Amino acid sequence: MKKLIVFDLDGTLAESKQAIDEEMAHLIADLLDILSVAVISGGDWSQFEKQVLDHLPANARTSNLSILPTSGTKFYRFTGQWAQVYAEDFSESERSTVLQSLDEAVSEAGLLETRIWGDQIEDRGTQITFSGLGQKAPPAEKAKWDYDHVKRNTLKALLDKKLNNFAVRIGGSTSIDITRPGVDKALGMRRLAEQTGIETGDMLFIGDALYPGGNDAPMRDAGISSIWVNDVAQTKLVIETLVKSNGGQVSLATTN
Ligand SMILES: [Mg+2]
């Protein structure tokens, strides 16, 4: 029997950047009653608060919940209140190398946009993210900007040359993420094992991007038991099954 259920966030527990719905909030609480649960995502802590934590029922057993922002390079646990256990932040020199290279590469690639929404560069401590049109650009503008990946492939090629000691990845619809090499969700799972004392063999991962090249694929490549879901509705069915098969109770009738 698995002891710890790990979820991806966007596309799995909730629509991209949206809050979990009431049904999902109750299902997560039902699961927390009987098993340990973790959520891992490329987003930062504030995103987990907005999308998940603010919506859980007041009686949810959050002491059984681990939160792993920025692909597990940060780790939060609830001990009376939410507290950061660790953050593998860039050093000052790593940070300035990345920011300088990014400035150069963006202008060399001709991607200095005249109209942006919010900051184009976001420093998440353990990860620096470039968003072509800014963090808060409207989805319709984002969808048009680099639909064929040409802009980001150009930028990535320039960055790969300048940043030998870092990993440069294309993500989202307009963004590029820069981390230390080897930072992915599988590393997050190893950190989770260290923190909880639960071996990766006793974990089950549930995510929507387990296809080759997807940001959940490192889980499968690392040999972690995984369930590939198409959408939030399928995740609900999986949770309901997990709750019932582990002797728990579903508190709110599911509608699908
Ligand atoms: Mg996802």
Side-chain angles (χ1 to χ4, degrees):
M1 196 176 100
K2 299 296 181 187
K3 296 176 181 162
L4 173 55
I5 313 299
V6 188
F7 295 95
D8 164 57
L9 178 49
D10 283 331
T12 301
L13 289 179
E15 304 301 333
S16 183
K17 310 273 183 213
Q18 304 299 305
I20 55 171
D21 64 24
E22 192 189 356
E23 193 173 62
M24 182 62 87
H26 278 88
L27 283 166
I28 294 170
D30 296 338
L31 196 57
L32 284 167
D33 278 341
I34 52 170
L35 289 171
S36 294
V37 174
V39 186
I40 185 167
S41 159
D44 212 346
W45 165 251
S46 60
Q47 221 36 59
F48 285 80
E49 285 186 304
K50 271 186 264 177
Q51 289 183 254
V52 182
L53 302 176
D54 290 351
H55 308 279
L56 291 177
N59 62 351
R61 215 178 276 187
T62 35
S63 54
N64 281 344
L65 181 62
S66 302
I67 297 291
L68 289 84
T70 51
S71 301
T73 53
K74 296 181 188 174
F75 192 101
Y76 287 78
R77 263 189 147 167
F78 190 84
T79 47
Q81 57 181 7
W82 284 102
Q84 187 180 72
V85 180
Y86 69 74
E88 296 171 355
D89 285 349
F90 282 131
S91 68
E92 270 315 309
S93 76
E94 285 174 320
R95 175 171 294 114
S96 61
T97 301
V98 170
L99 292 175
Q100 193 189 333
S101 302
L102 199 47
D103 274 349
E104 291 169 7
V106 167
S107 88
E108 285 167 31
L111 297 179
L112 283 169
E113 296 292 336
T114 48
R115 181 159 190 215
I116 57 167
W117 293 262
D119 294 333
Q120 217 178 15
I121 292 172
E122 186 192 13
D123 181 355
R124 297 178 180 172
T126 59
Q127 173 181 310
I128 290 174
T129 296
F130 167 83
S131 302
L133 292 174
Q135 297 288 332
K136 294 173 180 149
E141 296 292 332
K142 282 188 175 184
K144 277 189 289 185
W145 187 71
D146 190 30
Y147 63 91
D148 54 6
H149 285 218
V150 170
K151 290 189 172 95
R152 282 173 300 162
N153 282 334
T154 305
L155 185 58
K156 177 172 158 47
L158 289 164
L159 287 169
D160 281 338
K161 277 192 214 141
K162 295 172 190 290
L163 295 170
N164 288 319
N165 299 319
F166 297 86
V168 180
R169 288 196 197 85
I170 291 178
S173 52
T174 63
S175 58
I176 282 199
D177 296 327
I178 301 162
T179 63
R180 287 182 179 148
V183 170
D184 59 27
K185 288 185 177 178
L187 176 69
M189 295 292 266
R190 291 194 289 278
R191 295 279 181 273
L192 185 58
E194 289 163 15
Q195 291 296 327
T196 59
I198 297 173
E199 292 176 22
T200 50
D202 291 327
M203 298 181 191
L204 174 66
F205 174 74
I206 297 160
D208 71 313
L210 283 155
Y211 48 82
N215 65 6
D216 297 327
M219 298 293 196
R220 180 180 275 177
D221 299 343
I224 291 158
S225 301
S226 302
I227 296 178
W228 184 2
V229 291
N230 279 330
D231 52 27
V232 174
Q234 279 192 355
T235 306
K236 288 178 180 175
L237 292 176
V238 172
I239 299 177
E240 203 175 330
T241 306
L242 282 168
V243 170
K244 288 178 177 166
S245 65
N246 283 282
Q249 290 204 327
V250 174
S251 59
L252 198 72
T254 46
T255 51
N256 49 67

